[in-house]
């Protein structure tokens, strides 16, 4: 059993910022990285809205930002474990029990920054064709669709940002949105509208994804008329929001009806000594800048809580 002052669960911008701050506070934190170092931002193509990270000649990628955050946190003493948490026991209070695939920990304080994952449509064919034409990440899979036609499902910032990225590879990117007005912000809407490879199919939902080995078409319905039709496509990229990665915390921390961990404005959860930051507790802002800020706040509160106990 490893005894630690602070264990940080998750390595996205919230986790790596919490690691930087707790490391600089000489708490020698351990970050349990989870399935993907950096979380969702590691798979983001371009970072244009994180203050201080700006190069108009060569826009930094999400991977660049994660690498820089990781190096900075490790430089100041954070230790990163490339492992996943499978169980926690917070009921007995501090020190808190945390089990990963490879180790067991007892942590005086815990900062939960396990993030969120892309939501699925839940239609026939989606699961069967995942990795064979169905994708939740343009940056990861766009390359496989060179010269092909793809559809993007969703009308938010992710759908447009990823759709614009996909035009680098695909011949045609059709955005299927269930309403006739986008949720995405005006800057992305302008860029999408100006992109000759992009078009929009309004009031449309996907009922089924069909193929033979790989995706060949989608069956769709018009939400205003109910009319059904088929659209030929080689790929279906789904960007319809996210759900928090909080399954392993069920029964341990108070959550809302969607599974987001409830925190107060000091990033405290329902268990004293356990703090949370980033998308695991934030269904609203979900930006690199806000997650990093929340990670910083959680780290400062964890440090204060630990020092007051001594
Ligand atoms: P989002 O804003 O929640 O948008 C999800 C989209 O999917 C909405 O247009 C929604 O339609 C649609 N949708 C939801 N469920 C659906 C279903 N079952 N079938 C069909 N369509 C469905 O999610 P997001 O785009 O992932 O963005 C999440 C957050 O991250 C936002 O706060 C966003 O601003 C932020 N973000 C920012 C950037 C950036 O600043 N560059 C980039 C990416 C994401 P309705 O509109 O009808 O609800």
């Amino acid at each position: 059993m490893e005894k630690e002052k602070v264990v940080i669960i998750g390595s996205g911008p919230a986790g790596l910022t919490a690691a930087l701050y707790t490391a600089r506070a000489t708490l020698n934190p351990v970050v349990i990285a989870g399935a993907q170092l950096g979380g969702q931002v590691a798979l983001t193509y371009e970072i244009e809205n994180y203050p201080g990270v700006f190069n108009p000649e060569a826009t930094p990628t999400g991977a660049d930002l994660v690498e820089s955050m990781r190096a900075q946190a490790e430089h100041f003493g954070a230790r990163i474990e490339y492992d996943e948490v499978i169980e926690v026991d917070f009921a007995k209070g501090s020190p808190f029990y945390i089990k990963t695939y490879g180790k067991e920990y007892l942590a005086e304080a815990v900062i939960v920054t396990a993030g969120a994952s892309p939501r699925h449509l839940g239609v026939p064919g989606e699961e069967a064709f995942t990795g064979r034409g169905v994708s939740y990440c343009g940056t990861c899979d766009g390359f496989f669709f060179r010269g092909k036609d793809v559809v993007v499902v969703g009308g938010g910032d992710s759908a447009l940002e990823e759709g614009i990225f996909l035009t680098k590879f695909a011949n045609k990117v059709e955005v299927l949105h269930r309403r006739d007005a986008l949720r995405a912000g005006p800057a992305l809407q302008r860029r999408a509208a100006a992109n000759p490879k992009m078009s929009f199919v309004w009031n449309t939902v996907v009922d089924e994804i069909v193929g033979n080995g790989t995706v060949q078409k989608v069956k769709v319905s018009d939400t205003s008329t109910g009319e059904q039709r088929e659209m030929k496509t080689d790929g279906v990229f789904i960007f319809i929001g996210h759900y928090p990665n909080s399954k392993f915390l069920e029964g341990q921390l108070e959550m809302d009806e969607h599974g987001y961990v409830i925190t107060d404005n000091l990033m405290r959860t329902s268990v004293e000594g356990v703090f949370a930051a980033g998308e695991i507790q934030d269904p609203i802002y979900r930006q690199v800048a806000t997650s990093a800020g929340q990670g910083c706040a959680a780290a400062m509160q964890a440090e204060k809580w630990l020092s007051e106990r001594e």
Side-chain angles (χ1 to χ4, degrees):
M1 190 88 74
E2 313 278 324
K3 290 197 173 135
E4 302 290 351
K5 274 258 183 240
V6 179
V7 168
I8 297 165
I9 303 175
S11 62
L16 291 177
T17 306
L20 171 65
Y21 273 74
T22 48
R24 293 190 75 252
T26 66
L27 293 172
N28 199 20
V30 175
V31 179
I32 301 168
Q36 164 84 54
L37 178 74
Q40 294 176 81
V41 74
L43 304 174
T44 302
Y45 176 54
E46 288 180 330
I47 300 291
E48 290 183 321
N49 54 7
Y50 188 65
V53 175
F54 178 59
N55 178 359
E57 308 301 320
T59 307
T61 64
D64 295 336
L65 181 62
V66 168
E67 175 49 24
S68 178
M69 285 183 169
R70 179 206 59 75
Q72 191 178 10
E74 284 192 326
H75 173 81
F76 286 102
R79 292 162 294 150
I80 297 180
E81 291 281 346
Y82 294 88
D83 202 346
E84 275 183 65
V85 173
I86 49 177
E87 192 188 327
V88 296
D89 186 354
F90 296 158
K92 294 185 202 81
S94 176
F96 302 104
Y97 174 76
I98 297 167
K99 185 177 163 70
T100 67
Y101 285 110
K103 282 187 185 167
E104 291 174 296
Y105 298 86
L106 277 178
E108 285 183 45
V110 178
I111 304 175
V112 182
T113 60
S117 295
R119 281 180 56 202
H120 292 195
L121 280 171
V123 298
E126 183 178 18
E127 209 178 309
F129 290 107
T130 294
R132 293 192 286 153
V134 172
S135 172
Y136 304 87
C137 178
T139 318
C140 318
D141 299 327
F143 187 75
F144 302 115
F145 293 87
R146 271 170 304 167
K148 300 200 167 169
D149 295 344
V150 300
V151 298
V152 161
V153 183
D157 284 330
S158 298
L160 294 207
E161 193 170 75
E162 299 269 347
I164 292 166
F165 175 74
L166 286 167
T167 63
K168 290 179 188 298
F169 306 98
N171 187 41
K172 186 168 83 174
V173 176
E174 287 177 288
V175 180
L176 312 186
H177 184 35
R178 64 183 178 183
R179 294 187 290 131
D180 63 357
L182 293 168
R183 182 176 293 278
L188 276 168
Q189 288 200 34
R190 275 196 299 275
R191 280 175 62 197
N195 190 313
K197 284 189 179 177
M198 270 181 103
S199 58
F200 291 88
V201 184
W202 303 111
N203 302 315
T204 299
V205 290
V206 174
D207 298 322
E208 187 177 349
I209 299 165
V210 182
N212 185 4
T214 57
V215 169
Q216 291 172 324
K217 61 189 176 187
V218 283
K219 291 185 180 174
V220 299
S221 315
D222 188 308
T223 53
S224 46
T225 64
E227 187 198 330
Q228 295 179 309
R229 67 186 177 102
E230 294 184 352
M231 293 173 67
K232 278 194 170 170
T233 190
D234 302 302
V236 183
F237 284 80
I238 299 165
F239 305 108
I240 58 164
H242 297 84
Y243 64 89
N245 298 323
S246 58
K247 193 120 191 73
F248 72 103
L249 298 166
E250 273 171 12
Q252 302 289 331
L253 297 178
E254 241 175 66
M255 298 178 197
D256 71 10
E257 69 273 26
H258 303 293
Y260 286 92
V261 172
I262 293 173
T263 52
D264 65 8
N265 61 1
L266 300 178
M267 314 319 291
R268 294 181 296 195
T269 68
S270 54
V271 173
E272 200 186 313
V274 178
F275 301 82
E279 292 189 27
I280 191 99
Q281 55 82 60
D282 169 24
I284 300 170
Y285 299 110
R286 309 189 62 258
Q287 304 295 301
V288 180
T290 50
S291 289
Q294 292 157 3
C296 163
M300 291 175 74
Q301 291 303 326
E303 195 274 326
K304 185 165 178 281
W305 184 77
L306 285 167
S307 65
E308 281 171 0
R309 292 175 88 221
E310 276 164 10

